Amino acid sequence: MEDNISLLKQWVEESDNIVFFGGAGVSTESNIPDFRSVDGLYNQEYDYPPETILSHTFFVRNPQEFYRFYKNKMLILDAKPNTAHLKLAELEAKGKLKAVVTQNIDGLHQAAGSKVVYELHGSVHRNYCTKCGKFFGPEYMAAADGVPTCDACGGMIKPDVVLYEEGLDSEVIEGAVKAISKADVLIIGGTSLVVYPAAGLIDYYRGNKLVLINKSTTPRDNLANLIINDSIGKVFAQL
């Protein structure tokens, strides 16, 4: 393990074109629940399975239940950036990290100071009226009783998060692909690499310094040049 950390340190020190691709494991250390871990949302009792609730069809047909789940489980506004978020922002400020590509919707990378962040699945911090398009912040959503509605036209508000059955934003995908394809070092952290199409983006990497940091194995371990099976925060604390 020490040898792997030393090699990662060397690659980070030598590169000024690093891209980080992260998943839920980056946020769990800020006490945001992971959908697929043993203790994650997928293993908790609810009226419907999370993958059903978090679908576009369910949002349209049963917004009351959608928002009961969403506000209870996903709209977590008191979370703080952890070691991984802060270290990535620090690397960007030093000119070494060119972009963060994240599957998370919590905005913690920006809260830590990261500027170039491609949010593949959107953000709880952006919310729009489905009728007139007016923007609302997350505090408005949290304070709403039941289904949040627009204070201008009364329309239902939707979080700017990508639900099941919805496509990813083309501009976000384009930016992420460009960053990954040009990267010298690609560090993948805190993701099981099973969620597509997001996980497929790493196929655009052309380099030979692919780092996988995850507590458990992933389907892409055979492609990695360096594997560290540990928590992302613990590893980044040593950089």
Side-chain angles (χ1 to χ4, degrees), residues 40-90:
L41 296 184
Y42 276 81
N43 294 282
Q44 295 179 9
E45 291 295 322
Y46 225 77
D47 291 357
Y48 301 86
E51 60 265 38
T52 299
I53 297 174
L54 298 175
S55 68
H56 180 83
T57 298
F58 193 92
F59 172 77
V60 172
R61 292 179 179 174
N62 197 343
Q64 195 81 27
E65 186 68 5
F66 171 89
Y67 270 112
R68 191 167 77 86
F69 178 90
Y70 177 80
K71 288 196 273 190
N72 186 32
K73 299 292 186 182
M74 302 179 73
L75 193 60
I76 301 170
L77 302 182
D78 57 354
K80 304 295 182 188
N82 60 53
T83 303
H85 297 109
L86 296 170
K87 181 60 68 172
L88 288 165
E90 180 186 315

Side-chain angles (χ1 to χ4, degrees), residues 191-194 212 214 216-222 229:
T191 173
S192 55
L193 292 175
V194 296
L212 261 176
N214 200 49
S216 57
T217 58
T218 79
R220 299 302 192 93
D221 282 13
N222 61 311
N229 291 131

Side-chain angles (χ1 to χ4, degrees), residues 52-209:
T52 299
I53 297 174
L54 298 175
S55 68
H56 180 83
T57 298
F58 193 92
F59 172 77
V60 172
R61 292 179 179 174
N62 197 343
Q64 195 81 27
E65 186 68 5
F66 171 89
Y67 270 112
R68 191 167 77 86
F69 178 90
Y70 177 80
K71 288 196 273 190
N72 186 32
K73 299 292 186 182
M74 302 179 73
L75 193 60
I76 301 170
L77 302 182
D78 57 354
K80 304 295 182 188
N82 60 53
T83 303
H85 297 109
L86 296 170
K87 181 60 68 172
L88 288 165
E90 180 186 315
L91 289 172
E92 184 188 46
K94 290 180 177 178
K96 301 181 78 61
L97 184 84
K98 298 308 181 192
V100 168
V101 181
T102 181
Q103 299 175 80
N104 300 328
I105 60 173
D106 47 53
L108 290 180
H109 285 292
Q110 291 93 330
S114 290
K115 307 296 184 189
V116 183
V117 182
Y118 296 105
E119 295 174 308
L120 299 176
H121 297 150
S123 173
V124 299
H125 293 271
R126 299 186 299 270
N127 307 274
Y128 301 93
C129 173
T130 56
K131 191 174 178 182
C132 73
K134 183 176 178 180
F135 172 88
F136 294 89
E139 291 80 13
Y140 184 92
M141 305 295 281
D145 184 24
V147 178
T149 55
C150 179
D151 58 6
C153 75
M156 183 167 66
I157 302 170
K158 181 184 182 295
D160 187 17
V161 299
V162 179
L163 302 177
Y164 289 102
E165 305 168 344
E166 296 179 344
L168 305 188
D169 183 275
S170 59
E171 287 187 15
V172 173
I173 289 290
E174 186 178 335
V177 166
K178 184 179 290 186
I180 290 171
S181 64
K182 291 182 177 180
D184 172 34
V185 178
L186 176 61
I187 302 174
I188 301 173
T191 173
S192 55
L193 292 175
V194 296
V195 179
Y196 283 81
L201 294 182
I202 69 170
D203 292 334
Y204 290 94
Y205 178 60
R206 298 287 180 258
N208 61 358
K209 296 183 179 70

